Amino acid sequence: MADKDKNKPEYQLVLPEEDTRGPASSSTSAEVKPKAQKTKAEKPPKAKSHAALWVVLIITLLLVLALGAAAYWYVWKKDNNSQVLLEQQTLQQDALESLNNENMTLQQQLVALEDSKNELAQAVSTLTDKTESMQLQTEQLVSQLSDMEGRRPSDWLLAEADYLVRMAGRKVWLEKDINTAILLLRNADERLQELSDPSVIPIRGYIAEDIQSLRQVNTVDRAQLALSLSSLLSKADELPLHTFTRPKDTADSEEVSESIDDWQTNLAKVWHDIVDDFISVRRDDTPVAPMMSAEQQWLYKEQFKLQIMQAQSAAIAAQSDLYTTSVQNAVALLNSKFDTQSPSVQGALSTLTVLLDANIEENLPESLTTTAPLQRLMEKRINGAYGNGTEAL
C-alpha cells in the first residue's frame, strides 16, 4: 500500500459519487480533504533529499579534480627530477672523459720522459767510455814521459803542452767547463812558447783557433737553471689552485633615517628588508667554473711537477726544444689551473718567465783542432828519440 501511495501523483482529483444518500456524500468529501492535506505535508522532505544529493555530487567532483591535479603535479615533478638527473649524469660523464684525456696525456708525457732519461743514460755511458779511453791515453802518455826522462827539456815542455790540451778537451766534453778549458789551452800555448821552436808555430795557431771557438760557446750555467727548477718543484704542492669562490653580495642595504617625518619611507624600507630576507633574486651573467675535486687538484699539481722535471732534465742534457716546450707548458698550466692572484703563483710565473728566456743550446766543437797536430809532433819526437838514436830533435 505504501508503494502504491508513492506512485500516485501528489494531487488527486476526487469526484464525488452520485448518491442519493446525502449523508454518505458528505462523509466522502470529508475523507478526501485529509488525504490532500497529508500529501502536501510530505512534500518538503523530498526537496531536502535532492539538495543533499547535489552537495554529495559536487564534493565528489571536487575530490576527483583534486586527485587529478595531484596526479598531474606528481607526474610533472617526476619528469623534472628525471631531466635534472639526466643532465647531472651528462655533466659527470663529460668530466670523466676530460679526466681520462688528461690521464692519457700525462701517460704520454711520462713515456716521453722515460725516453729522454734513456737517451741521457746512453749519453752518460758514451761519455764514460770516452773518459776511460782518455784516461788510458793519459796513462800511456805518462808512461811515455817516464821513458823520456833525461831527454831534452823541450820534450818535456812539448809533452806537458799535449797533456794540457787533452785536459782541456776533457773539461769541454765531460765537465762542460769552458773557462777552465780556455785556461788550460793558454797554459799549453805558454809551454810551446818557451820552446822557442819555429816548428810549433802552426800548433800555436791551432790553439788560438780553439780558444776563439770556445769563447763563442754559449756559457749559460745549466746547473743553476736545474737548481732553480728544483726549487720550484719543491714548492709545487704549496701553490694554490683556482677553485670556485662564491661571489660577494654587493647589494647595499637601505638605511633607516632618524627623522620622524620620514616614517612612511622608513616603514617601506623596513618592509623591503623583511621581504628581501625571504625572497631574493639577483642576476649574475658571469659563468661559474665547477669546483675541482681532490683528484683533479692532485692531477694538475702532478702535471706541473712533470713539466718542471722534464725542463730540468732538458736543461742538464742541453736539449733546447724540450726545455722551451716544458717551461711553456708549465706557464700555461699555472695561468689556467692555478690562482694567479696568489703571490706564490705570481713568483713562480716570474721565475719561469726568466728561465724561459735562457738559451741552453749547446754549440760545443766536436773536437779541438790542436789535438791531432800536437799528437803527431809528439810521436815524431818519440820516434826520433827512440827509433833513431843519432837523430837529435
Side-chain angles (χ1 to χ4, degrees):
M1 292 299 290
D3 296 336
K4 290 181 180 181
D5 292 339
K6 289 181 180 180
N7 293 328
K8 288 181 181 182
E10 296 178 356
Y11 302 97
Q12 293 180 356
L13 181 60
V14 180
L15 297 176
E17 294 180 0
E18 294 180 356
D19 196 358
T20 57
R21 297 176 294 179
S25 61
S26 62
S27 64
T28 305
S29 61
E31 290 175 359
V32 171
K33 290 180 179 180
K35 185 182 290 187
Q37 293 177 357
K38 184 177 182 181
T39 306
K40 292 179 179 181
E42 292 176 354
K43 185 177 179 180
K46 291 183 178 181
K48 290 181 179 180
S49 63
H50 285 293
L53 180 61
W54 279 107
V55 171
V56 172
L57 290 175
I58 291 173
I59 292 174
T60 305
L61 181 60
L62 291 176
L63 289 175
V64 171
L65 291 176
L67 289 174
Y72 175 76
W73 180 84
Y74 176 75
V75 173
W76 178 77
K77 189 67 176 179
K78 185 176 180 181
D79 292 340
N80 286 342
N81 292 336
S82 301
Q83 183 67 23
V84 171
L85 183 59
L86 182 60
E87 291 178 357
Q88 291 178 354
Q89 290 178 353
T90 304
L91 292 176
Q92 291 178 356
Q93 290 178 357
D94 295 340
L96 184 59
E97 291 179 357
S98 177
L99 186 61
N100 290 333
N101 293 333
E102 291 178 353
N103 287 331
M104 293 177 63
T105 304
L106 182 61
Q107 290 177 359
Q108 293 176 357
Q109 292 175 352
L110 288 173
V111 171
L113 182 60
E114 290 294 334
D115 295 338
S116 63
K117 287 183 177 179
N118 293 332
E119 293 177 357
L120 182 61
Q122 293 178 359
V124 171
S125 178
T126 303
L127 292 176
T128 303
D129 295 339
K130 289 183 178 179
T131 303
E132 294 177 355
S133 177
M134 294 182 68
Q135 288 179 351
L136 182 59
Q137 293 177 1
T138 302
E139 292 176 357
Q140 293 175 356
L141 181 60
V142 171
S143 177
Q144 292 175 1
L145 290 175
S146 299
D147 294 338
M148 292 175 62
E149 186 177 1
R151 298 294 176 181
R152 295 183 305 173
S154 60
D155 297 336
W156 281 100
L157 293 174
L158 189 62
E160 187 176 356
D162 183 67
Y163 175 76
L164 292 173
V165 170
R166 292 177 183 274
M167 288 297 298
R170 182 175 180 178
K171 288 289 183 180
V172 170
W173 292 298
L174 296 183
E175 301 180 14
K176 313 296 182 183
D177 191 354
I178 304 300
N179 295 326
T180 304
I182 293 175
L183 181 61
L184 291 173
L185 289 176
R186 285 180 178 176
N187 291 332
D189 183 67
E190 290 176 0
R191 299 296 184 275
L192 294 178
Q193 186 178 5
E194 291 177 4
L195 290 175
S196 300
D197 189 351
S199 62
V200 299
I201 293 178
I203 298 177
R204 293 185 63 191
Y206 292 138
I207 292 177
E209 292 179 2
D210 290 335
I211 292 174
Q212 186 63 29
S213 62
L214 290 178
R215 285 177 178 174
Q216 296 176 357
V217 171
N218 184 19
T219 59
V220 64
D221 191 356
R222 284 184 292 274
Q224 181 64 32
L225 292 179
L227 291 175
S228 300
L229 293 171
S230 179
S231 65
L232 282 178
L233 187 63
S234 62
K235 300 293 184 181
D237 292 330
E238 301 177 2
L239 296 178
L241 291 166
H242 181 63
T243 56
F244 171 76
T245 55
R246 185 175 181 178
K248 297 181 179 180
D249 188 5
T250 58
D252 298 331
S253 61
E254 299 179 353
E255 297 181 356
V256 180
S257 64
E258 297 180 356
S259 177
I260 301 176
D261 297 333
D262 298 336
W263 66 271
Q264 294 180 349
T265 305
N266 294 335
L267 183 61
K269 291 179 180 180
V270 172
W271 172 254
H272 287 306
D273 290 339
I274 294 173
V275 173
D276 291 341
D277 290 338
F278 290 100
I279 301 174
S280 179
V281 179
R282 293 183 180 87
R283 183 178 180 85
D284 189 5
D285 296 332
T286 304
V288 179
M291 184 179 294
M292 290 185 185
S293 63
E295 293 180 355
Q296 289 177 331
Q297 294 179 11
W298 176 84
L299 179 62
Y300 293 141
K301 289 185 178 181
E302 290 300 320
Q303 286 180 348
F304 178 73
K305 291 180 181 179
L306 176 63
Q307 298 300 328
I308 295 299
M309 288 190 294
Q310 194 168 356
Q312 188 178 13
S313 176
I316 295 174
Q319 298 176 354
S320 178
D321 295 337
L322 181 60
Y323 173 81
T324 303
T325 303
S326 300
V327 175
Q328 289 177 350
N329 291 337
V331 171
L333 194 61
L334 285 177
N335 288 324
S336 61
K337 302 300 181 182
F338 288 79
D339 185 10
T340 55
Q341 301 300 325
S342 174
S344 58
V345 176
Q346 291 179 358
L349 284 173
S350 61
T351 302
L352 288 175
T353 303
V354 174
L355 294 178
L356 184 62
D357 297 334
N359 182 17
I360 64 168
E361 186 176 359
E362 189 178 52
N363 54 351
L364 295 175
E366 295 181 357
S367 61
L368 295 177
T369 57
T370 310
T371 304
L374 187 57
Q375 187 175 5
R376 287 195 297 268
L377 181 60
M378 282 290 300
E379 292 177 354
K380 183 178 179 181
R381 291 291 180 92
I382 291 173
N383 293 331
Y386 291 95
N388 297 321
T390 59
E391 184 178 1
L393 296 177

